[in-house]
Amino acid sequence: MNTYKIIFAIFISTLFIISCSKRDERNYSNAEDYCLNIKANIDSVIHERDTLQDSLLLEIVKKCGNSPKFVELRLSILSKLNRYNEGLEYIKSLDDSNFLNPYDSLVYSVSFQQKLIQDEFAKLDLTQKVVHEMENHLAEFPLDTLALANYCQFSLEYKSKDEVLDKIDSMARNNNFDRTYDFVVWLYFPDKQKLFHQRKLDWENQKSI
């Protein structure tokens, strides 16, 4: 990144922070739109995603309030910067209304904690906690793609591919093999797509009898 881009980014960031610090003088939606516009301008100037840019964006996002879209962005930047303790403290200051999904807080919290602790049994306990939460959520919302993705990602940390795929297969059968499950299998089990497709065909043939 050249010097001009760095100076320009800092200049834009400073103007942004000053403006957002006065956001109580404008309605929230306008302040939020303004934050998004500034972020877009910075992204268009600095194409290289490096630590400096992420640090600048973090300071910007901190001034944007705690709407779900900015909470997610802030946590993703903290994760990239390996600032896990700061991320955990930030999560503690929020409530469910600050997240897009009811399980997001747990997923982010566990993801950060896993980076900080060394005890493998403690990590496993955290992982299983997320898996159980996803199972409970999917029992009510079986086509939630993100929940399915979280279920697969965390389950595969301590279960075999076949075991997790069997669970996905079971859920798919209970929901008429909705295409959502095809996507999840493609994402997490690319080498099992043919097997899953054959199971789907067998299920359809059996159903038509």
Side-chain angles (χ1 to χ4, degrees):
M1 181 187 301
N2 61 41
T3 303
Y4 170 76
K5 287 183 177 181
I6 294 174
I7 294 174
F8 186 84
I10 293 173
F11 173 72
I12 291 293
S13 300
T14 302
L15 290 179
F16 170 82
I17 291 170
I18 293 172
S19 178
C20 276
S21 67
K22 298 179 180 180
R23 66 182 182 277
D24 57 332
E25 298 175 3
R26 63 185 82 192
N27 65 57
Y28 185 78
S29 61
N30 286 341
E32 188 172 275
D33 290 341
Y34 184 73
C35 291
L36 288 173
N37 287 335
I38 292 296
K39 179 186 178 300
N41 289 334
I42 291 178
D43 284 345
S44 67
V45 173
I46 307 175
H47 298 290
E48 300 88 349
R49 291 303 303 270
D50 58 16
T51 300
L52 174 60
Q53 183 191 8
D54 284 323
S55 296
L56 288 171
L57 287 178
L58 180 60
E59 294 309 310
I60 290 171
V61 173
K62 284 181 178 179
K63 303 294 182 179
C64 292
N66 293 320
S67 67
K69 67 180 69 175
F70 286 113
V71 167
E72 183 175 358
L73 179 58
R74 182 169 172 176
L75 290 173
S76 66
I77 295 173
L78 287 170
S79 178
K80 186 176 180 183
L81 293 173
N82 300 326
R83 291 162 65 169
Y84 306 119
N85 281 317
E86 185 177 342
L88 288 170
E89 289 302 313
Y90 178 52
I91 291 171
K92 290 178 183 178
S93 71
L94 304 171
D95 56 44
D96 289 344
S97 66
N98 298 122
F99 293 91
L100 291 171
N101 301 291
Y103 48 78
D104 284 346
S105 175
L106 175 63
V107 171
Y108 277 114
S109 179
V110 167
S111 297
F112 287 165
Q113 289 180 70
Q114 286 180 327
K115 299 293 186 179
L116 295 170
I117 61 178
Q118 302 298 321
D119 189 301
E120 293 301 322
F121 290 104
K123 285 185 178 181
L124 176 59
D125 185 61
L126 288 170
T127 301
Q128 291 176 328
K129 186 176 181 180
V130 175
V131 171
H132 293 155
E133 178 67 20
M134 293 304 103
E135 287 176 335
N136 291 335
H137 179 82
L138 288 167
E140 187 173 357
F141 304 100
L143 301 182
D144 185 333
T145 306
L146 182 57
L148 284 166
N150 284 326
Y151 172 79
C152 291
Q153 180 177 333
F154 284 90
S155 293
L156 288 170
E157 291 184 16
Y158 68 99
K159 296 181 180 181
S160 68
K161 273 191 173 183
D162 288 339
E163 185 179 357
V164 180
L165 182 62
D166 285 345
K167 178 66 175 181
I168 295 299
D169 178 86
S170 176
M171 287 190 280
R173 290 173 186 274
N174 291 332
N175 293 279
N176 297 316
F177 274 92
D178 186 270
R179 289 184 177 180
T180 302
Y181 298 97
D182 291 324
F183 172 73
V184 172
V185 171
W186 169 81
L187 188 63
Y188 286 94
F189 311 95
D191 57 327
K192 302 287 187 179
Q193 284 182 276
K194 289 184 178 180
L195 172 62
F196 186 75
H197 181 65
Q198 185 59 53
R199 290 181 178 182
K200 182 177 181 178
L201 291 177
D202 292 343
W203 175 83
E204 289 175 343
N205 291 334
Q206 186 176 11
K207 188 178 179 181
S208 63
I209 296 176

